[in-house]
Amino acid sequence: MSITQAPPETEHAHESLDGAVVKADFPILNQPLRAGQKPLVFLDSAASAQKPQVVIDAMSDYYARVNANIHRGVYDLSEAATEAYEDARRKIATFINAQSPRECIMVRNTTEAINLVAQAWGKANLKEGDLIVFTEMEHHSNIVPWHILAAEKNLRQAHVHIDDEGRLDLDEYAEILRQEPKLVAFTHVSNSLGTVNPVKQMIADAHAAGAIAVVDAAQSAPHLPIDVQDLDADFLALSGHKMLGPMGSGALYGKKALLDAMPPYMGGGSMIRKVFLDHTTWADVPAKFEAGTPSVGDTVGLGAAIDYLNALDMRRVWAHEREVVAYALEALQDVPDIRFFGPTDAQARSGVVSFALGDLHPHDISQILNEHNVAVRAGHHCTQPLMKALGVTATTRASFYVYNTREDVDRLVEALHDVRRVFSGLPSSTTAAARADGPCRQEWDAKTFDG
Ligand code: PLP
């Protein structure tokens, strides 16, 4: 059966998925192999997930049959494109249980969503000396926008640190809340550790202290059911490309009253009610925050990804990841000198497994894994403050998703044994460990732009 069909609503709804059946829906994971080449084991979904055929088809169909600029045209094609875009917005709203599609602003990614909150809500509601809070385990996209805002408005910052198992220090959080911050921002699930944070309680505590709560759901929305009303989140950000949708699609959820009261983030077409030579009045939400021509085709693709995830059933997606990650944590114990980062309890973490292998540099590890056609990520995962807390510059990260299987884990383990063989006896100075952090943005830029 193709998983694109909705599984019947049965008592089996909480049962795990069959990753091998799901995998069949992803053309990139089923490409013809060169002689002797092993099938791709893709373990980098936390960076960006692969796309099922239904998403590729939805986008191709949109461009083949529907494409036109939206909201402005009074001809059939433009109305159809507008309907396709707004239909995707409705799907996202239902997926996260927003009260209304108006509460969902379509953006390119989580980064843009958080910058929007910082610049629009932050600028209008924070004043010099106000306290803002975020945590040590945040992705840079939930740190840097707050740094920019803090510098612009002269704000104070407080940071929640992690304990030895990579969980947030909730006593420190409670202590910081007593200082009456105006805004707290935290990730639902850590992209580097897999830690699942108790966000519902953290939001309730923030509200009790008089702060608004911004949730980074980049690593949770793809993997577990999200209910913004139940969480009582003020803002919640997600990226379409991490949840089987295309790059360039994403959403910011915001409570309607907050969005209504915020000034726009960017100015331009589509976000206006009236423009005069000397001033402008704003459109209602969500248009107020969607200046310019949006990524319509990408948003349509995200709508198709949501249909696909709904058909799988998010409860089963989560159950599947629990099972694969528990198996991975067990099977990887077999690799000598492996050391895991993050919570030891497999039930308290997402499908992300970060590890070190002796003193081997993660870039060396991932390079050998690549020779086995096993794709993992090596680096700081855009969480430099977290790496500092862990006492490393980088980790190797395997991240699992709907299409991964126990066989994929076995391939990872087998390839890691080979990494051990390759590097046994080599002095560590011959490895990338001698370099600071392997290829970085500056090196890529030099290669790309300066020859
Ligand atoms: N937040 C978390 C927890 C992430 O893992 C990522 C990406 O890895 C982001 C934010 C940023 O996502 P994007 O690059 O799609 O904006």
Side-chain angles (χ1 to χ4, degrees):
M1 170 188 100
S2 165
I3 285 293
T4 54
Q5 294 159 20
E9 267 296 328
T10 65
E11 70 276 15
H12 303 302
H14 293 270
E15 277 178 15
S16 186
L17 302 170
D18 183 342
V21 175
V22 176
K23 197 176 270 194
D25 289 337
F26 291 74
I28 209 164
L29 303 176
N30 294 287
Q31 298 185 72
L33 301 171
R34 292 192 302 275
Q37 191 187 27
K38 291 181 179 160
L40 171 65
V41 172
F42 187 74
L43 302 180
D44 195 21
S45 300
S48 199
Q50 297 303 348
K51 321 303 171 200
Q53 187 65 51
V54 282
V55 167
I56 299 166
D57 288 348
M59 292 178 67
S60 143
D61 182 64
Y62 170 80
Y63 282 112
R65 291 194 314 106
V66 186
N67 178 58
N69 212 330
I70 59 167
H71 289 144
R72 289 185 269 268
V74 282
Y75 52 92
D76 287 352
L77 213 52
S78 174
E79 282 174 7
T82 303
E83 178 48 28
Y85 182 70
E86 293 303 332
D87 187 45
R89 189 198 307 278
R90 286 191 289 273
K91 286 176 183 169
I92 289 155
T94 306
F95 187 71
I96 59 172
N97 197 29
Q99 260 180 16
S100 152
R102 284 188 179 277
E103 295 181 315
C104 293
I105 315 296
M106 305 321 300
V107 292
R108 280 181 305 143
N109 49 39
T110 300
T111 304
E112 186 177 328
I114 296 173
N115 276 277
L116 195 164
V117 178
Q119 290 301 312
W121 188 90
K123 272 195 175 154
N125 292 282
L126 298 175
K127 58 178 188 328
E128 180 169 350
D130 281 347
L131 180 66
I132 59 170
V133 182
F134 53 89
T135 89
E136 191 172 35
M137 70 163 66
E138 300 309 312
H139 187 281
H140 295 165
S141 65
N142 203 18
I143 296 179
V144 184
W146 307 119
H147 285 170
I148 293 172
L149 183 67
E152 282 170 356
K153 302 215 77 170
N154 216 359
L155 307 175
R156 289 179 301 129
Q157 302 173 40
H159 311 122
V160 185
H161 297 88
I162 55 164
D163 67 15
D164 290 347
E165 281 217 358
R167 288 174 305 220
L168 291 176
D169 179 345
L170 296 176
D171 291 336
E172 185 183 32
Y173 181 58
E175 177 56 39
I176 290 172
L177 289 181
R178 280 194 275 280
Q179 299 165 41
E180 299 184 353
K182 292 287 190 317
L183 173 146
V184 298
F186 40 75
T187 192
H188 193 170
V189 171
S190 159
N191 65 312
S192 295
L193 299 171
T195 315
V196 181
N197 291 321
V199 284
K200 187 173 174 182
Q201 187 58 50
M202 290 175 74
I203 294 168
D205 294 345
H207 288 162
I212 66 147
V214 182
V215 180
D216 174 348
Q219 297 294 344
S220 59
H223 304 284
L224 51 92
I226 298 280
D227 182 335
V228 287
Q229 293 188 63
D230 180 55
L231 292 176
D232 201 19
D234 297 296
F235 294 103
L236 182 137
L238 58 85
S239 293
H241 69 95
K242 293 187 196 286
M243 46 199 290
L244 311 180
M247 292 184 181
S249 65
L252 170 69
Y253 161 82
K255 281 182 182 161
K256 175 102 175 2
L258 291 173
L259 293 172
D260 281 341
M262 278 157 57
Y265 172 44
M266 294 196 296
S270 300
M271 49 73 74
I272 57 99
R273 182 176 304 282
K274 283 238 168 357
V275 179
F276 306 91
L277 253 190
D278 60 352
H279 74 283
T280 304
T281 57
W282 320 133
D284 291 335
V285 293
K288 181 170 68 172
F289 296 106
E290 294 184 4
T293 299
S295 300
V296 181
D298 295 331
T299 303
V300 168
L302 175 55
I306 284 175
D307 286 343
Y308 183 85
L309 285 170
N310 282 336
L312 293 182
D313 187 333
M314 288 308 289
R315 293 165 303 176
R316 294 177 71 203
V317 167
W318 186 232
H320 173 69
E321 288 181 29
R322 306 267 47 63
E323 192 194 303
V324 176
V325 115
Y327 180 72
L329 288 172
E330 186 67 35
L332 286 164
Q333 304 277 1
D334 204 33
V335 181
D337 289 339
I338 197 160
R339 181 164 65 94
F340 299 108
F341 300 99
T344 42
D345 177 4
Q347 297 309 314
R349 54 190 296 159
S350 73
V352 164
V353 178
S354 257
F355 57 89
L357 205 55
D359 65 353
L360 292 180
H361 194 282
H363 286 109
D364 290 327
I365 298 170
S366 74
Q367 213 167 329
I368 306 289
L369 294 184
N370 183 49
E371 284 165 23
H372 289 257
N373 218 6
V374 174
V376 297
R377 184 140 296 238
H380 53 61
H381 319 299
C382 293
T383 53
Q384 285 182 349
L386 175 61
M387 294 294 121
K388 185 154 186 264
L390 298 173
V392 295
T393 54
T395 74
T396 306
R397 181 185 73 184
S399 52
F400 301 94
Y401 203 12
V402 284
Y403 32 67
N404 291 121
T405 59
R406 286 174 172 232
E407 289 69 36
D408 291 346
V409 174
D410 294 340
R411 286 269 309 279
L412 172 66
V413 172
E414 186 189 305
L416 284 171
H417 279 298
D418 193 41
V419 173
R420 302 277 322 158
R421 272 192 296 277
V422 170
F423 286 105
S424 65
L426 279 184
S428 63
S429 59
T430 58
T431 75
R435 303 193 294 270
D437 192 18
C440 66
R441 182 57 198 250
Q442 284 83 346
E443 287 174 40
W444 290 120
D445 281 357
K447 226 176 2 185
T448 310
F449 301 119
D450 311 325

